[in-house]
Amino acid sequence: MESADLLDECPEVLRVALSSASAHRDIWLAAFALDGRVGRMVLGASEPMLGQMRLAWWRDQLGKPVHDRPRGDQLLDLIGKNWNQNEAALVDLIDGWEALLSPRPLAETAILEFVAGRVNLSLGLANMVGTMNHERDLRRAGTLWALADLAINARDEAELSRAVKLGAAEGTNGLRLSRDMRPLAVIAGLARRSLHFRGRPMLGDRASPLIALRLSLIGR
């Protein structure tokens, strides 16, 4: 599997966001591809236990030293090269996704666990690229990203309304993120717009590419 195949594992909005990475591209690609792969495991699981077993494998591998992990999975190898000894944020992401295997409609605790996974990933990415400025906005960005995905994949009106309400509580002010965090700014801006339109896909309408471009240039 080549890096192009890993790019295909990323959801469309993450591929668009990745194009704004001015540096540390492999760090972003590893995180985004893992998010895409784990998300498909969860959202496509026919039984919660099957999804949990697959997530447990990833959690176990990321808990091992790099030299003890199996070779040949391009994503696992890329994580080993770029996230070595910093995998805690990736494990938090996996734990967050696992919360969506809970009975539906989701309880408040499951929603907050999913949000926490994306928030911790956002902080982990900032730590990896060396820019922990504006931590509050990093947390807001991760929260908006998670809530937009929840709204898009809501199973009923209660889940949708809760995601939209929590998103509105994050406010409408722009995010102050450094240039190195521009991919996250793109995601958060599109996520806020998705929540404004009650779970509309983050990309797909005529305006979204222009908005993504603006976010990639100015970050808000």
Side-chain angles (χ1 to χ4, degrees):
M1 183 184 291
E2 303 297 329
S3 60
D5 298 303
L6 284 183
L7 189 61
D8 288 341
E9 293 212 41
C10 303
E12 184 182 13
V13 67
L14 302 189
R15 293 198 298 272
V16 169
L18 185 64
S19 67
S20 67
S22 58
H24 311 291
R25 180 181 172 85
D26 283 349
I27 291 174
W28 289 97
L29 176 59
F32 286 173
L34 180 65
D35 186 74
R37 187 180 295 190
V38 171
R40 284 189 297 276
M41 289 178 186
V42 169
L43 298 176
S46 57
E47 295 290 341
M49 185 173 293
L50 293 176
Q52 290 168 343
M53 290 173 61
R54 291 169 179 162
L55 297 185
W57 184 89
W58 274 97
R59 193 181 291 110
D60 289 346
Q61 298 311 314
L62 296 181
K64 297 177 182 177
V66 171
H67 58 78
D68 287 340
R69 297 173 191 169
R71 303 295 181 187
D73 184 300
Q74 186 80 1
L75 176 53
L76 189 59
D77 292 344
L78 188 66
I79 290 171
K81 291 177 182 177
N82 292 277
W83 284 80
N84 188 22
Q85 299 184 12
N86 291 280
E87 294 93 345
L90 302 180
V91 174
D92 287 342
L93 174 70
I94 294 169
D95 291 344
W97 271 110
E98 187 169 17
L100 297 198
L101 292 170
S102 304
R104 309 297 283 261
L106 293 170
E108 182 83 0
T109 53
I111 291 174
L112 295 179
E113 286 173 14
F114 181 64
V115 170
R118 283 277 179 74
V119 168
N120 289 340
L121 178 65
S122 300
L123 295 173
L125 282 162
N127 181 61
M128 290 292 291
V129 303
T131 175
M132 285 298 292
N133 296 332
H134 309 300
E135 181 177 336
R136 168 58 183 153
D137 284 334
L138 289 168
R139 292 180 177 276
R140 287 177 62 210
T143 297
L144 290 167
W145 178 14
L147 293 173
D149 263 351
L150 283 173
I152 291 166
N153 294 289
R155 298 281 182 86
D156 65 7
E157 179 61 29
E159 285 185 1
L160 173 59
S161 295
R162 187 58 181 148
V164 170
K165 183 177 180 180
L166 289 171
E170 294 301 314
T172 58
N173 294 334
L175 299 174
R176 297 172 299 165
L177 298 175
S178 71
R179 177 170 292 277
D180 284 339
M181 294 304 293
R182 196 60 52 84
L184 185 61
V186 172
I187 297 167
L190 293 172
R192 179 188 284 117
R193 183 169 179 266
S194 171
L195 289 164
H196 175 76
F197 290 108
R198 293 185 60 79
R200 174 189 290 182
M202 285 188 259
L203 292 171
D205 62 283
R206 289 185 296 177
S208 57
L210 295 176
I211 292 171
L213 177 60
R214 177 177 63 82
L215 291 164
S216 71
L217 293 174
I218 66 175
R220 64 179 67 191

